[in-house]
Amino acid sequence: MGAYQIIGGRPLEGAVHIHGAKNSVLPILAATLAGGGQYTIYNCPEISDVDTALDILHALGCKTERSGARVCVDTSAAENREIPEALMKKMRAAILFLGALLARFGEANLTAPGGCVLGERPIDLHLLGLRLMGAEYEYDCETLRCRAKALRGCTVALPFPSVGATENLMIAALACKGEVTICNAAREPEIGDLIAFLRACGAKIDGTGTSVLHIAGAAALHGTEYAVMPDRMEAATYLAAAAATRGRLVLQYATPAHLQAVISTLERGGCEIVQRPNEMIARCDRLRAVSPIVTAPYDGFPTDAQAPVMAAMATAEGVSVFEETVFSGRMRHVPALRSMGARIYATDRHAVVTGVKRLHGACVEATDLRGGAAMVIAALSAEGESRITKTEHMERGYASFVQTLRSCGAQIECI
Ligand code: EPZ
C-alpha cells in the first residue's frame, strides 16, 4: 500500500505536462480487439489502468509492447472470450471489453467490473443496448455470460447519456448487420476521441459531439496509428491545485476547449486563466466561493472535477454549494477534508463548503481516484504535514503525479 508524505503551505509554480487521457485511451485499447490488427497508440499515459488494459489484452491472446508513451498492440491472434475476474475487478473500464468481444467473437464471459466506489454503478444501460442489437445474456449482477450469434442494426435510446454504455455500444455496433443509432449518447470529448480512432480504423460513424450517433455496421476494420487526446481531468486537477495553493501553473499540451465549465467556475472564484489552443496559464490568489457548482454530463461541470475543486473551495472566501447529479455516492472524500479542518456539511448528493483561512495537515486514506487527488490538493494547501495512504488510487489515473508536483515546488514524497 503506497503513501504520500506532504508538507503543505507553498504555492505551486511551474510548468505541467498534461498526458494522454485515461478515459480516452482505455476505450481505445478495448476497441483494438474489435477489428483484429496492428495498432500503435501514441501519447498513452503511464498509469496503472493502462497496465490493466494491456493485461486484459494479453489474457485474451493479444500481443502488446510498451515504450514510454507509445504502445503497440497486435490483436490479430486474440482467441479467448473470458476476462479473469481479478482484472475485471481492477477498474470500471474493464467493462468496455464487452462490446469488443461481442463484435469480434460474438461471445463474452466477464464479471461485474470494479473501480472507484462512487455509489451505484450498474451496467443495465450497456445490456439494454446490446439486447436491442440481438445479444443474449445471463447476468446475476456478478457473472455475465453474453452471446450474440448475429448482431443487428437498431436504434438505442439511452435513458441517461452514459459514457461507458455509449462507448460499449458504439464498439459492438461495428459488427452489426445494418446501422445502429444511439440516441441520448454521451457527448464527452473522450467519445469524440474514440470515434476518431474508430474512423481511422475504417469505421463509418456520424454525429461526433452530438447526442445522436449513427454507426454503420459490418465495418471492415484495419489497424492504425493514433495519438490520444490530452487528459482534461488531469488538467482540471492541476488547475484546482494552482487555485488551492494560490500559485501559478502553466499547463502544457492541455485543451482548454474541453474544460470550459471548470475554467469558468474557477474564474468566477477569482482565478486568472489564460487560454491558448494547447496550453493554459492559471494564476490565483485566495479564491472566492462559487455557488452552486452542479455536476452534469458534458458540457456541464464534470463530476470528475467535483472533488478536486471542492478541495480548492475549502479555503475560499465564502460558502460554496456543490450538487453531485451524476453519481449517487461521490462525497466519500469529505470526511478526509474535514479532518484537515475543512468546514463541509454533506449528504450523498450535496455539500455546503464554508471556506476557512487555512487547513492543517492530517493523516488520511484515499477513497478513490479523484477523491484521493482532492486530498493531495488539500494537503498541499494546508499548514503542516499530511500523510495520505492508499495512493494506488491516484496511481491509476495520474502519470508522474509526485514528480510533477515536486517540479512545481511541492514538498511531497512517496513513502
Ligand atoms: C466514465 O465512467 C468515466 N470513466 C468516469 O471517470 C466518469 O466519472 C463518468 O464516465 C462520467 O463522466 C471512464 O471513462 C473509464 P457513466 P462510466 O456510465 O462510464 C449510471 C474517473 O475518475 N449508469 O456515464 O462508468 C452510473 O451509475 C472516472 O476517471 C447506470 O445507471 O460513467 C452513474 O450514476 C470515475 N447504468 C451515471 O450513469 C449503466 O449501465 C454515469 O455513469 C451505466 C451507467
Side-chain angles (χ1 to χ4, degrees):
M1 183 173 78
Y4 298 156
Q5 187 93 1
I6 296 172
I7 298 173
R10 294 169 64 166
L12 291 180
E13 294 183 346
V16 170
H17 173 148
I18 298 300
H19 301 91
K22 167 179 86 78
N23 291 351
S24 178
V25 73
L26 294 176
I28 285 173
L29 286 171
T32 62
L33 181 73
Q38 286 76 34
Y39 304 84
T40 302
I41 310 296
Y42 297 103
N43 202 28
C44 185
E46 295 183 65
I47 54 176
S48 59
D49 270 10
V50 167
D51 299 338
T52 301
L54 297 180
D55 289 344
I56 290 173
L57 286 168
H58 283 149
L60 296 172
C62 308
K63 294 193 192 75
T64 70
E65 189 190 316
R66 161 158 234 171
S67 141
R70 191 194 67 206
V71 166
C72 297
V73 176
D74 182 346
T75 59
S76 48
E79 52 187 10
N80 301 331
R81 286 99 159 114
E82 177 146 359
I83 297 177
E85 181 174 4
L87 292 176
M88 287 301 298
K89 293 305 179 197
K90 282 192 164 184
M91 63 177 188
R92 169 81 180 183
I95 196 62
L96 299 175
F97 284 86
L98 171 59
L101 280 165
L102 289 180
R104 182 71 180 274
F105 301 121
E107 182 186 350
N109 301 307
L110 318 171
T111 60
C116 291
V117 178
L118 306 172
E120 287 296 303
R121 297 188 80 177
I123 58 169
D124 56 322
L125 303 185
H126 300 241
L127 297 175
L128 173 147
L130 293 172
R131 192 172 54 236
L132 287 169
M133 291 181 196
E136 293 167 359
Y137 60 84
E138 296 139 35
Y139 182 50
D140 60 2
C141 289
E142 189 35 50
T143 305
L144 172 64
R145 311 190 75 74
C146 202
R147 303 286 179 275
K149 289 188 198 62
L151 289 166
R152 60 175 181 264
C154 63
T155 294
V156 182
L158 288 173
F160 179 87
S162 156
V163 170
T166 301
E167 292 164 342
N168 238 338
L169 298 179
M170 196 160 42
I171 295 169
L174 299 168
C176 285
K177 290 193 176 25
E179 179 178 274
V180 171
T181 299
I182 303 175
C183 302
N184 198 23
R187 298 190 299 119
E188 274 69 3
E190 292 77 13
I191 302 287
D193 217 27
L194 176 60
I195 291 173
F197 169 76
L198 291 172
R199 279 183 174 154
C201 297
K204 290 180 177 46
I205 302 174
D206 291 322
T208 298
T210 76
S211 299
V212 182
L213 298 177
H214 297 282
I215 302 104
L221 300 174
H222 51 71
T224 191
E225 299 193 343
Y226 192 78
V228 174
M229 64 176 256
D231 193 321
R232 62 194 176 100
M233 288 311 150
E234 184 185 29
T237 303
Y238 285 111
L239 286 178
T245 61
R246 304 171 194 175
R248 182 183 184 282
L249 288 181
V250 180
L251 275 55
Q252 298 164 332
Y253 313 105
T255 306
H258 293 162
L259 261 184
Q260 289 304 304
V262 175
I263 291 169
S264 64
T265 300
L266 292 173
E267 286 178 333
R268 284 166 58 200
C271 277
E272 282 168 38
I273 301 175
V274 175
Q275 300 180 47
R276 297 195 181 118
N278 295 306
E279 191 177 75
M280 283 183 257
I281 303 167
R283 205 192 60 70
C284 204
D285 297 323
R286 186 181 184 196
L287 268 177
R288 292 187 304 274
V290 175
S291 252
I293 298 177
V294 184
T295 68
Y298 196 80
D299 48 5
F301 187 91
T303 175
D304 293 348
Q306 179 253 102
V309 170
M310 187 183 293
M313 290 295 168
T315 54
E317 204 169 335
V319 179
S320 305
V321 176
F322 288 77
E323 181 180 3
E324 173 56 56
T325 71
V326 176
F327 287 101
S328 60
R330 197 167 199 170
M331 294 288 176
R332 297 174 67 231
H333 49 282
V334 169
L337 298 184
R338 274 210 206 103
S339 69
M340 293 181 179
R343 286 182 55 198
I344 305 176
Y345 171 76
T347 65
D348 282 350
R349 294 270 192 175
H350 294 85
V352 178
V353 182
T354 306
V356 296
K357 273 211 176 334
R358 264 274 187 258
L359 299 177
H360 55 74
C363 288
V364 295
E365 186 176 280
T367 49
D368 54 80
L369 169 60
R370 309 299 175 185
M375 294 171 204
V376 170
I377 291 170
L380 290 169
S381 76
E383 281 300 335
E385 193 168 305
S386 297
R387 173 175 295 206
I388 302 173
T389 56
K390 291 204 174 176
T391 51
E392 49 276 16
H393 284 294
M394 291 78 104
E395 306 296 317
R396 286 187 48 204
Y398 293 100
S400 326
F401 199 27
V402 171
Q403 299 87 323
T404 299
L405 290 168
R406 288 167 70 98
S407 72
C408 298
Q411 287 182 272
I412 178 173
E413 57 181 294
C414 295
I415 50 174

